Amino acid sequence: MNLEDTRRQIDRIDGEMKELFAERMRMSLQVAKVKADTKDQVYKPVREQDMLNTCGEGLSQEVAAPYRALLRKIVAISREYQYSKLLSWQAQPEEVSALLQEWTSRPELPMLEFSVPAENTLGAVLSVLDDLGIGLKSLMLMNPAESGRYRLTLAEDTAKDEKAAAALFQLWSETEAFALVW
């Protein structure tokens, strides 16, 4: 098989992966509907970790780690999708509504302050912003003696749009003591 044939095979596989991804997102939408009906939490760290622990079974060590990384990203995208749907479908807790109202009513951008709970990671929290194209200007550990409390400054070009509102809702849901600091 030459390079051109190999690339055609990769293109075919990419097309199959696209169809499977679309199907997965349809299932993610169904999960969001159930969670909306039952008022269940979107982020289930134990479920995600169990899935990631077993997803590489049957794969070589060389391929298992990259596959887990891919699946971790797909799960994060599914969660972001679910949060955006929930935000548009249902009334939010009063605290979230107040945050979003404050976010949209002021012309300047706030800093975001939060703690990362033990079941989450700072990388996962930051990927929420990165995946939605929301840039960071700075990130600061608030008090080195108190690990896990951070303050971040958003990039000046951050739009106060639906993507940003969904990101705030997700960060409020997946971190502890989330606050906007003006």
Side-chain angles (χ1 to χ4, degrees), residues 129-150:
L129 299 173
D130 184 55
D131 291 342
L132 294 171
I134 299 171
L136 299 181
K137 183 176 178 181
S138 67
L139 173 68
M140 178 175 61
L141 180 60
M142 293 301 296
N143 182 350
E146 287 180 38
S147 70
R149 185 95 183 130
Y150 299 91

Side-chain angles (χ1 to χ4, degrees), residues 56-77:
E57 291 175 0
L59 295 174
S60 69
Q61 187 72 10
E62 182 179 44
V63 176
Y67 179 69
R68 271 192 294 281
L70 173 64
L71 197 54
R72 187 178 294 115
K73 192 65 168 177
I74 291 171
V75 168
I77 290 167

